[in-house]
C-alpha cells in the first residue's frame, strides 16, 4: 500500500544513491529518476543535490523523508494488524544469520515481529556465512541471512539491506583524521576476521580487485567476532575493516573513528538465502514483514 513513488524516494534517500535504489527496487535508473522528478514537480521543490558522483538530500528532502517514514510505518501497522485479525499464524521459524546481522540488525526486527505474531516461535542460529549455507543445504534452518559474496546454484538469493565496510581505529589513534592511500595498508598492523566470515570474504575480494593480496599485509591477529575486534582496537594501535553496522554506537560515543582511504570503498548488500522453489507461508510472512523494517 505504501505509495510507490514515495517508496522510490525513501529508498534513494536511505541509500543516497540512484544506482543502489534501482538495484534494490529492480527497476531502471531512469525510472528512479522519473519518479523523483514527479515528486519534485508535485511539491515544487528539489529533493537531492548532486555532488560529483554522489548525492546529498536537501532540507525539503529531509522533511519529506520524515513524513515518508511515518506513512510507511502507518501502512505497515495497518496491514499487519488486519492480517493478524484475519489469520491466526502459528508455527516455528528457524533462521540462520551470519554474526554481524544476528548481533546488530536482527534483534530489533525480531522483537517487532514477535509483538505482532506471538504464536510464531523464532529460533535464531548464528554462524559465519559459510556455515549458514551448509545448515540451509542440510535442512537445519528455514532461511538464512548472510553477508558473504559467494553464491551457490542450490539457493535463491534476495537483497536484504545495504551495508559498507570501513577501516576503523580507536579515536586517539595517530592516524585519526588522516586520509590514507591503499599502499599505506602495507605499513599498518591489521586485525581480520576468521576465514569463512562473509565480511572477510568481501574485504579480501575488494582488495584483490585493487591489486592487493591480503596475505601480503601484516595481520597481527585473526578474531572470530566484531565485538572482539572492537575491544582489541581500544587497547592497541591496530586497525581493522568492520561493517559500519557494527560500530554505530562507538562512532556516536566517539570511541572509535573511521580512517578514510582515498579512492577506495567497500559497499555490499546483505542477502536472504532461501531454498529454491515455493516458500512456506511462515517464510513468506517473515520476508514481507522484514521488507517494511
Amino acid at each position: 500500500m505504501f505509495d510507490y513513488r514515495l517508496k522510490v524516494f525513501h529508498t534513494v534517500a536511505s541509500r543516497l544513491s540512484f544506482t543502489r535504489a534501482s538495484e534494490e527496487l529492480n527497476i531502471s535508473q531512469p525510472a528512479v529518476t522519473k519518479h523523483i522528478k514527479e515528486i519534485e514537480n508535485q511539491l515544487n521543490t528539489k529533493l537531492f543535490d548532486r555532488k560529483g558522483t554522489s548525492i546529498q538530500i536537501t532540507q525539503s528532502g529531509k522533511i519529506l523523508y520524515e513524513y515518508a517514514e511515518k506513512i510507511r510505518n502507518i501502512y505497515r501497522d495497518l496491514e499487519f494488524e488486519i492480517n493478524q485479525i484475519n489469520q491466526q499464524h502459528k508455527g516455528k521459524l528457524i533462521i540462520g544469520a551470519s554474526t554481524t546481522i544476528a548481533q546488530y540488525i536482527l534483534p530489533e526486527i525480531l522483537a517487532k515481529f514477535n509483538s505482532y505474531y506471538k504464536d510464531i516461535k523464532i529460533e535464531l542460529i548464528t554462524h559465519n556465512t559459510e556455515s549458514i549455507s551448509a545448515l540451509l543445504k542440510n535442512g537445519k534452518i528455514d532461511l538464512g541471512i548472510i553477508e558473504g559474496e559467494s553464491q551457490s546454484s542450490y539457493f535463491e538469493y534476495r537483497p536484504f539491506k545495504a551495508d559498507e565496510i570501513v577501516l576503523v581505529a580507536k579515536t586517539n589513534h595517530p592516524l585519526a583524521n588522516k586520509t590514507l592511500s591503499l599502499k599505506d595498508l602495507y605499513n599498518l598492523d591489521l586485525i581480520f576476521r576468521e576465514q569463512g566470515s562473509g565480511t572477510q570474504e568481501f574485504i579480501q575480494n575488494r582488495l584483490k580487485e585493487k591489486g592487493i593480496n591480503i596475505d601480503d599485509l601484516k595481520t597481527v591477529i585473526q578474531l572470530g567476532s566484531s565485538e572482539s575486534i572492537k575491544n582489541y582496537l581500544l587497547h592497541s594501535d591496530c586497525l581493522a575493516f568492520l561493517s559500519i553496522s557494527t560500530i554505530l554506537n562507538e562512532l556516536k560515543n566517539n570511541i572509535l573513528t573511521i580512517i578514510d582511504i582515498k579512492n577506495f570503498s567497500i559497499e555490499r548488500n546483505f542477502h536472504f538465502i532461501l531454498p529454491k522453489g515455493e516458500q512456506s507461508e511462515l517464510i513468506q510472512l517473515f520476508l514481507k514483514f522484514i521488507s517494511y523494517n
Side-chain angles (χ1 to χ4, degrees):
M1 293 178 65
F2 189 48
D3 180 86
Y4 192 73
R5 285 186 304 173
L6 274 182
K7 182 177 181 180
V8 172
F9 164 76
H10 187 275
T11 306
V12 174
S14 298
R15 306 290 177 255
L16 286 179
S17 169
F18 283 78
T19 303
R20 287 191 203 171
S22 70
E23 291 171 352
E24 188 169 323
L25 296 168
N26 199 27
I27 60 175
S28 69
Q29 193 165 329
V32 172
T33 302
K34 178 175 178 290
H35 286 298
I36 298 300
K37 284 292 183 187
E38 287 173 350
I39 299 174
E40 289 180 329
N41 291 337
Q42 183 179 349
L43 298 177
N44 193 28
T45 191
K46 196 173 184 181
L47 300 174
F48 299 100
D49 284 324
R50 291 191 178 275
K51 303 289 184 182
T53 57
S54 63
I55 61 170
Q56 292 181 348
I57 191 167
T58 64
Q59 189 60 37
S60 295
K62 290 177 182 177
I63 293 170
L64 180 59
Y65 184 78
E66 290 178 8
Y67 278 94
E69 276 276 281
K70 292 175 184 177
I71 294 167
R72 179 173 175 264
N73 291 337
I74 288 170
Y75 276 140
R76 178 199 64 194
D77 293 345
L78 168 64
E79 186 172 347
F80 282 99
E81 283 189 31
I82 290 178
N83 185 267
Q84 198 172 12
I85 292 170
N86 293 337
Q87 299 184 51
Q88 293 298 313
H89 296 284
K90 294 183 178 181
K92 183 176 182 179
L93 197 57
I94 305 175
I95 301 168
S98 50
T99 49
T100 298
I101 298 165
Q103 190 163 7
Y104 300 98
I105 297 172
L106 276 184
E108 181 181 353
I109 294 171
L110 293 180
K112 288 180 182 177
F113 184 84
N114 185 58
S115 71
Y116 283 105
Y117 303 107
K118 299 185 185 299
D119 291 329
I120 299 177
K121 304 302 178 186
I122 298 283
E123 181 180 345
L124 178 61
I125 296 174
T126 306
H127 279 294
N128 63 31
T129 294
E130 193 175 284
S131 298
I132 293 300
S133 300
L135 288 170
L136 186 65
K137 185 176 179 180
N138 293 323
K140 303 294 185 184
I141 58 176
D142 297 308
L143 77 155
I145 311 177
I146 60 169
E147 55 201 77
E149 193 164 32
S150 298
Q151 297 199 354
S152 164
S153 59
Y154 285 105
F155 309 121
E156 176 188 350
Y157 296 83
R158 300 183 191 178
F160 165 43
K161 184 179 175 67
D163 184 50
E164 184 176 1
I165 299 169
V166 292
L167 187 63
V168 180
K170 62 185 179 183
T171 303
N172 61 347
H173 193 281
L175 294 176
N177 302 317
K178 296 186 182 298
T179 299
L180 306 183
S181 70
L182 275 170
K183 289 183 179 179
D184 290 328
L185 292 177
Y186 290 108
N187 302 318
L188 303 178
D189 291 336
L190 296 167
I191 307 171
F192 287 108
R193 286 284 302 272
E194 81 286 359
Q195 290 300 319
S197 157
T199 298
Q200 179 71 2
E201 181 186 22
F202 259 92
I203 296 164
Q204 192 166 318
N205 290 346
R206 292 299 171 267
L207 289 174
K208 187 176 181 180
E209 288 172 4
K210 294 293 185 177
I212 294 179
N213 188 330
I214 203 169
D215 294 331
D216 295 333
L217 300 178
K218 186 179 178 183
T219 302
V220 173
I221 190 171
Q222 287 182 284
L223 296 172
S225 73
S226 297
E227 285 299 308
S228 298
I229 292 174
K230 288 191 294 183
N231 285 321
Y232 195 106
L233 291 177
L234 296 178
H235 301 284
S236 77
D237 282 334
C238 291
L239 296 91
F241 286 99
L242 290 169
S243 163
I244 199 162
S245 303
T246 70
I247 59 169
L248 295 178
N249 285 333
E250 287 78 11
L251 293 176
K252 181 180 177 182
N253 295 313
N254 202 32
I255 296 170
L256 294 175
T257 188
I258 295 173
I259 308 294
D260 289 326
I261 302 176
K262 188 177 181 180
N263 299 324
F264 181 70
S265 63
I266 305 176
E267 298 167 351
R268 62 176 177 174
N269 278 309
F270 297 136
H271 282 89
F272 295 109
I273 176 173
L274 303 154
K276 283 192 171 177
E278 188 174 350
Q279 307 303 328
S280 71
E281 182 184 340
L282 286 186
I283 290 177
Q284 292 180 47
L285 178 68
F286 181 76
L287 292 175
K288 187 175 183 181
F289 182 88
I290 210 171
S291 70
Y292 281 91
N293 291 275

